[in-house]
Amino acid sequence: MPNALEIEGLSKRFGGLVAVDNVNLAVRQGDVHCVIGPNGAGKTTLLNLLSGTLPPSAGRVRFGGQDIAGLPTHRIAQLGIGRSFQRTNIFPEFSVYENCRLGAQARMKSSMRFFRPAERDEGVRERAERALALTGLIARRETRASALSHGEQRQLEIGVMLATEPAVLLLDEPMAGMSADETTRMVDLLRRLKDGHTLILIEHDMDAVFALADVITVMVNGAVLASGTPQEIRASQAVQDAYLGGDDIA
């Protein structure tokens, strides 16, 4: 499979602190690529660099044949990279459908189309409906987002992202704070999304990671310690040494 993203020498420094240290990764198209490591390993900073939330201090990120490192967030989103955050990022007073419609509207590139109400745009409606179907929230479409359960709100956040029609999804701990049943539903959703998307996933739930991942990258102190298949990571002596037998590789 071709690569969806190629990360070359990517670094981020905050004064004397190196948060991401010369990261080199190739993310294959259609893979679920999980990034794990202890708190402070640089995982979220890496996603911030890929999504444009932070500019890199050095390095390149190749996507769709161009270097996107340092581009603004809205430009990277328009190119086809979506991002979720550790904290749910939705409009609580709007309905489930309205949240997805706003995501679909953000995909509209023509600045002059604001003169036409978005709800009359067939493309916007179709993208919103598709996102609802993918996330399994059709039955909740008229529900106010604030009335959803925590797990449903996380599903909705992914739905808003899907409405922008991204090719690559950057997911930062999508299962944080979920019950066992909610986690199962989220794992099922992410499996469905693999058809047609590339996922880069930060997650602390190791059962979910090993159930979903095609490739796992382990980060420590901003650098890549190891990267490989789940079987290779389980067998890695370097990972075992760093995490005392693998009891704490979240």
Side-chain angles (χ1 to χ4, degrees):
M1 292 292 289
N3 293 328
L5 280 176
E6 294 177 350
I7 302 165
E8 303 172 2
L10 197 62
S11 297
K12 182 62 181 180
R13 298 178 182 86
F14 298 97
L17 172 67
V18 181
V20 171
D21 187 6
N22 193 35
V23 167
N24 296 279
L25 287 175
V27 180
R28 292 191 307 252
Q29 187 174 315
D31 271 3
V32 178
H33 193 124
C34 292
V35 181
I36 65 174
N39 290 333
K43 306 182 300 295
T44 294
T45 303
L46 176 63
L47 288 200
N48 287 339
L49 296 174
L50 299 181
S51 65
T53 306
L54 288 172
S57 301
R60 295 184 291 186
V61 179
R62 297 193 180 279
F63 173 67
Q66 71 177 98
D67 182 6
I68 64 169
L71 289 181
T73 304
H74 71 275
R75 181 64 182 137
I76 290 177
Q78 286 177 345
L79 289 171
I81 296 180
R83 166 77 192 275
S84 75
F85 294 85
Q86 289 177 350
R87 293 185 178 180
T88 306
N89 189 23
I90 56 176
F91 295 98
E93 298 307 310
F94 289 1
S95 72
V96 168
Y97 172 77
E98 287 168 336
N99 269 273
C100 288
R101 179 174 60 78
L102 286 169
Q105 188 176 350
R107 192 72 166 84
M108 297 166 65
K109 293 184 179 179
S110 173
S111 61
M112 297 305 293
R113 299 181 81 178
F114 61 77
F115 286 115
R116 182 170 65 188
E119 62 268 19
R120 296 182 187 175
D121 189 292
E122 187 64 27
V124 168
R125 289 202 304 273
E126 287 178 357
R127 287 192 289 274
E129 294 286 352
R130 226 173 6 250
L132 288 172
L134 278 169
T135 53
L137 290 172
I138 287 284
R140 305 284 270 161
R141 57 177 292 136
E142 300 305 327
T143 303
R144 183 179 291 190
S146 60
L148 298 176
S149 69
H150 172 68
E152 289 173 327
Q153 288 184 354
R154 297 298 275 178
Q155 287 174 251
L156 176 56
E157 183 180 27
I158 291 175
V160 173
M161 179 170 49
L162 290 172
T164 70
E165 297 188 322
V168 175
L169 309 180
L170 308 177
L171 304 170
D172 198 349
E173 297 189 34
M175 284 158 269
M178 286 190 178
S179 67
D181 287 344
E182 289 173 332
T183 296
T184 298
R185 286 196 293 272
M186 181 60 74
V187 168
D188 289 343
L189 169 58
L190 298 183
R191 281 200 182 110
R192 294 198 303 274
L193 295 184
K194 186 179 174 182
D195 183 15
H197 301 90
T198 301
L199 280 66
I200 301 178
L201 170 68
I202 294 173
E203 185 51 57
H204 283 265
D205 186 324
M206 287 298 100
D207 289 336
V209 166
F210 282 96
L212 287 166
D214 297 295
V215 176
I216 298 174
T217 292
V218 183
M219 292 185 68
V220 176
N221 296 325
V224 172
L225 173 67
S227 193
T229 66
Q231 295 78 14
E232 289 169 340
I233 293 302
R234 283 190 188 277
S236 168
Q237 188 62 52
V239 173
Q240 291 179 22
D241 290 345
Y243 293 104
L244 303 177
D247 292 333
D248 181 24
I249 60 171

